[in-house]
Amino acid sequence: MSGAKRILVLGSTGSIGLQALQVIEEADDLELVGLSARSSWETLVEQARAHGVTRIGLTDEASASRAAGAWPAGEVHSGINGLVELVLESGADLVLNAIVGSAGLGPTIVALGEGIDLALANKESLVVGGELVTALAEATGARILPVDSEHAALHQLIAAERSAGPGTIERLTITASGGPFRGASRSELQRVTVEQALAHPTWSMGDKITIDSATLMNKGLELIEAHHLFAIPYERIDVLVHPQSIVHGMVTLCDGAVLAHLGCPDMRVPIAYALHHPERMELDVARLDLAAVGSLTFEPPDLEAFPALAVARRAAVAGGTAPCVLNAANEVAVHAFLEGRLAFLRIAEVIEATLDELGATPLREFDALFEADRRAREVAAAKIA
Ligand code: NAD
Ligand code: MG
């Protein structure tokens, strides 16, 4: 038996999933034990063949039966329950959750509940159920390793200060590229198209997170993610716009020193970090040449043109079900925008109006989250119709 770490990749056909498969292929000490997607069964079967994996899961049941027909040698898990089976039966040492949206919450709960370490790209899991998710990880001893680049950066910076004791970390800073509309005024944002919003300047990502980056909601979600991962109060977490996406995160210490994490924007770096932690692997990615970059620039976020960030911060501070409502309304609004049914500036308005209508209720159990998510989707959809 080899001592390879067994990895299950959920959402393997997406942007993060594809890059994770590249990383795993290059690593001798990682073994792929399962793959999942929503409906892209042909790609999934192809991936399974290419990587010698027999267990796959498709949450869309019709796609799962097509995959089963095309691939009799393998085991195809079907539907949401199939995803749960995949986590429970794959024998994974670590689950990479690269599903998009609150659909990722279920697998996060199952993996952590089983005490399986979680490499978490699905930031929505922490946005929606941060307190409960981190409490579950603490109870079972499973680790949550962030894949989001800013949080992977902070994870490394904070780890370096662990021996310094409590009270050392004063502030956290996450950077934002500013997206394709950085510098635009509100009136200029009135008529932006889906195509323009999908043209991200520094990162190539799935559609949903690309729109979140254009509205700055992505940084709002990341603020909540950082709060739960590192147990730092919201008033001590800053967002800084940095168009070059070279500095990913910064930690301000109690003696005034500031530690920053730098690197060329390439998600394989944080993916490899999360998959290998506490070890590192040699990665064939571009090395940072600061002389070639020339200058790094920083500016505060424009909360008037990009109100989604301010809306997210308010929901974060309100706590309880508010971040779950924020996330669900955002998913509905972004989906409508991508389909051409909602104007860009209306995204934040729909989210804010949904939050105003539903308010925040305290949270004690996961079931309340699924109910809040469902209700918020209904309310947001009604505001768009
Ligand atoms: P993507 O849309 O490219 O891929 C999503 C994957 O999840 C696909 O494999 C898809 O089949 C699967 N999926 C979609 N809906 C599903 C559902 N309802 N149930 C089960 N599976 C489903 O998304 P992405 O850009 O790879 O992002 C994935 C996650 O990682 C998101 O939470 C995103 O915020 C986060 N993230 C992405 C990046 C990036 O560079 N792409 C960076 C940081 C964080
Ligand atoms: Mg990020």
Side-chain angles (χ1 to χ4, degrees):
M1 255 332 272
S2 73
K5 198 191 273 185
R6 297 161 62 87
I7 313 281
L8 168 64
V9 178
L10 304 178
S12 62
T13 58
S15 160
I16 292 290
L18 289 170
Q19 295 177 84
L21 295 192
Q22 284 177 24
V23 168
I24 293 169
E25 192 157 273
E26 280 171 36
D28 304 331
D29 54 344
L30 302 179
E31 179 193 347
L32 198 56
V33 295
L35 298 165
S36 90
R38 183 180 48 190
S39 56
S40 30
W41 63 273
E42 283 159 309
T43 310
L44 196 67
V45 167
E46 219 170 274
Q47 288 182 337
R49 277 209 185 95
H51 294 271
V53 171
T54 53
R55 270 177 208 281
I56 60 172
L58 284 144
T59 46
D60 178 64
E61 294 178 8
S63 308
S65 25
R66 288 198 193 98
W71 196 47
E75 200 166 322
V76 183
H77 299 267
S78 168
I80 308 273
N81 287 339
L83 217 52
V84 175
E85 289 162 16
L86 201 58
V87 175
L88 297 180
E89 295 171 18
S90 64
D93 300 312
L94 180 133
V95 172
L96 168 61
N97 185 347
I99 291 172
V100 61
S102 64
L105 178 62
T108 286
I109 296 170
V110 177
L112 294 176
E114 287 297 302
I116 304 172
D117 288 347
L118 184 67
L120 192 62
N122 180 256
K123 64 190 83 184
E124 294 90 344
S125 292
L126 278 176
V127 171
V128 170
E131 282 93 356
L132 299 180
V133 166
T134 49
L136 181 61
E138 230 158 83
T140 64
R143 295 177 307 167
I144 305 175
L145 299 159
V147 170
D148 219 343
S149 53
E150 300 77 3
H151 304 74
L154 294 176
H155 193 266
Q156 292 164 60
L157 296 171
I158 290 171
E161 286 306 308
R162 189 143 295 146
S163 57
T168 312
I169 311 279
E170 202 169 86
R171 303 192 77 76
L172 304 181
T173 303
I174 52 178
T175 57
S177 70
F181 305 134
R182 185 179 61 86
S185 66
R186 238 185 117 65
S187 69
E188 286 167 328
L189 291 175
Q190 224 131 37
R191 264 176 297 279
V192 299
T193 64
V194 172
E195 201 186 9
Q196 289 167 329
L198 284 176
H200 196 276
T202 49
W203 297 98
S204 159
M205 311 176 286
D207 286 359
K208 191 258 177 183
I209 182 176
T210 305
I211 302 304
D212 286 347
S213 302
T215 59
L216 286 200
M217 178 54 88
N218 187 45
K219 276 322 123 173
L221 302 180
E222 290 186 355
L223 173 74
I224 301 173
E225 184 185 11
H227 166 77
H228 292 299
L229 282 170
F230 309 117
I232 300 281
Y234 285 111
E235 66 272 16
R236 294 203 271 130
I237 310 175
D238 301 319
V239 172
L240 187 61
V241 174
H242 165 47
Q244 297 82 19
S245 298
I246 297 289
V247 177
H248 305 303
M250 297 190 285
V251 171
T252 304
L253 304 178
C254 57
D255 60 1
V258 180
L259 309 183
H261 181 288
L262 288 76
C264 297
D266 188 326
M267 285 308 294
R268 288 174 299 173
V269 177
I271 291 169
Y273 173 76
L275 297 184
H276 279 91
H277 185 77
E279 278 144 35
R280 299 254 183 188
M281 78 178 268
E282 206 175 304
L283 261 192
D284 185 18
V285 296
R287 299 303 193 245
L288 180 59
D289 178 349
L290 279 175
V293 175
S295 59
L296 301 176
T297 60
F298 302 90
E299 62 201 47
D302 177 352
L303 297 180
E304 201 192 317
F306 302 96
L309 178 54
V311 172
R313 198 179 266 279
R314 281 200 294 279
V317 171
T321 49
C324 173
V325 170
L326 171 93
N327 177 71
N330 180 54
E331 286 187 32
V332 169
V334 168
H335 186 65
F337 171 71
L338 283 167
E339 288 190 337
R341 293 185 283 113
L342 191 72
F344 184 77
L345 287 177
R346 289 273 297 137
I347 297 175
E349 289 172 9
V350 166
I351 299 165
E352 190 166 25
T354 305
L355 278 163
D356 285 348
E357 187 167 328
L358 293 177
T361 32
L363 200 58
R364 275 175 214 95
E365 54 188 19
F366 282 115
D367 281 349
L369 286 177
F370 293 107
E371 176 53 22
D373 178 90
R374 191 194 58 73
R375 182 85 186 103
R377 281 171 198 274
E378 265 173 22
V379 171
K383 297 195 184 300
I384 293 166

